[in-house]
Amino acid sequence: QVQLQESGPRLVKPSGTLSLTCHVSGDFISTNHWWAWVRQLPGKGLEWIGEIYHDGGTNYNPSLENRLRMSIDKSKTLFSLNLSSVTAADTAVYYCVRRSFYTWTRDYRFEFWGQGALVTVSS
Amino acid sequence: EFGLTQSPDTLSLAPGESATLSCRATQNAGNTYVAWYHQRPGQAPRLLIYAASNRAAGIPDRLSGGGSGTDFTLTFSRVEPDDSGMYYCQQYGFPPYPFGQGTNLQI
């Protein structure tokens, strides 16, 4: 069974950088899937942040891309998120997600989710 | 800008009743890459339906998804207490893969 687990500081100062890592078990990062981040602002809905492929290719949400950087480490089966110049508006629960590719439907569904990490931006 | 609007915002039902949740897109995406998720408080979203009408692994057949174009639905033939929580639709065919604002289902 594929499992994902977020780790990283839960408190970040304004103007600092939010850094999270997602540890993957039960799968290889080199498989044919995208590895994504989704966040949920307090009491609100869900927002896709971006995603990375095993070859390092990325797609970023245009609303965040000038502050965003993602990386992947296949040997350690983990991928990471860095969001710079954070403000209180970036306080949210951050989820890492495997977007699973299935040949017969040719879609990349958001199938496996981590439990989420609440990151608070505050001085 | 592409967006999704869900209705109703809140739905209160008794166990055993049927229900239909709606998800309307602002424009036709040209595909049926629409998913539905269930989220309980303090938990991650769980994939229920993908590609508009396919149940994910472990999802009972009393749930079904349908629709095309700009209108999609999630239907419960009968609801159970464990179905309580937030339901989100999502278009995942092209970035930024927007989500609807959610429907709060109370059983």
Side-chain angles (χ1 to χ4, degrees):
Chain A
Q1 176 72 341
V2 178
Q3 292 186 317
L4 297 91
Q5 177 69 58
E6 302 89 352
S7 66
R10 297 301 200 258
L11 181 63
V12 182
K13 288 184 171 16
S15 78
T17 297
L18 183 156
S19 296
L20 290 172
T21 296
C22 183
H23 300 263
V24 180
S25 59
D27 192 15
F28 297 102
I29 292 269
S30 57
T31 51
N32 208 24
H33 309 298
W34 284 88
W35 304 89
W37 292 93
V38 173
R39 70 180 182 178
Q40 186 165 34
L41 305 179
K44 300 208 173 168
L46 299 154
E47 178 183 40
W48 172 76
I49 298 170
E51 60 195 8
I52 188 165
Y53 203 55
H54 64 80
D55 63 0
T58 55
N59 291 317
Y60 293 158
N61 191 317
S63 67
L64 298 168
E65 65 179 337
N66 62 343
R67 299 192 289 133
L68 195 55
R69 189 177 72 86
M70 293 185 181
S71 59
I72 197 162
D73 187 330
K74 290 184 286 187
S75 63
K76 296 181 180 178
T77 61
L78 59 82
F79 59 105
S80 299
L81 163 72
N82 283 274
L83 182 66
S84 61
S85 304
V86 296
T87 69
D90 294 308
T91 293
V93 175
Y94 287 78
Y95 296 100
C96 57
V97 186
R98 191 186 91 171
R99 291 193 61 209
S100 305
F101 177 70
Y102 289 91
T103 305
W104 56 91
T105 54
R106 301 203 62 78
D107 72 316
Y108 286 92
R109 66 197 75 146
F110 287 66
E111 185 174 25
F112 295 104
W113 295 63
Q115 65 184 31
L118 173 60
V119 180
T120 301
V121 179
S122 174
S123 55
Chain B
E1 183 176 321
F2 188 94
L4 297 170
T5 301
Q6 294 184 238
S7 60
D9 289 332
T10 302
L11 185 59
S12 297
L13 296 170
E17 291 189 295
S18 62
T20 297
L21 279 56
S22 174
C23 177
R24 175 163 288 178
T26 53
Q27 55 189 283
N28 191 334
N31 63 66
T32 54
Y33 291 135
V34 171
W36 289 90
Y37 304 87
H38 178 210
Q39 186 179 36
R40 296 189 179 98
Q43 295 187 12
R46 180 188 182 189
L47 178 65
L48 302 174
I49 300 289
Y50 63 91
S53 61
N54 297 274
R55 278 184 292 275
I59 302 304
D61 60 8
R62 59 186 180 81
L63 272 70
S64 61
S68 63
T70 59
D71 292 292
F72 298 87
T73 57
L74 175 66
T75 300
F76 297 76
S77 60
R78 59 187 184 284
V79 297
E80 297 180 356
D82 274 352
D83 295 331
S84 293
M86 291 295 297
Y87 288 81
Y88 297 96
C89 63
Q90 181 201 24
Q91 181 288 122
Y92 64 96
F94 51 84
Y97 315 123
F99 292 83
Q101 85 283 7
T103 290
N104 185 2
L105 180 60
Q106 301 172 347
I107 310 299

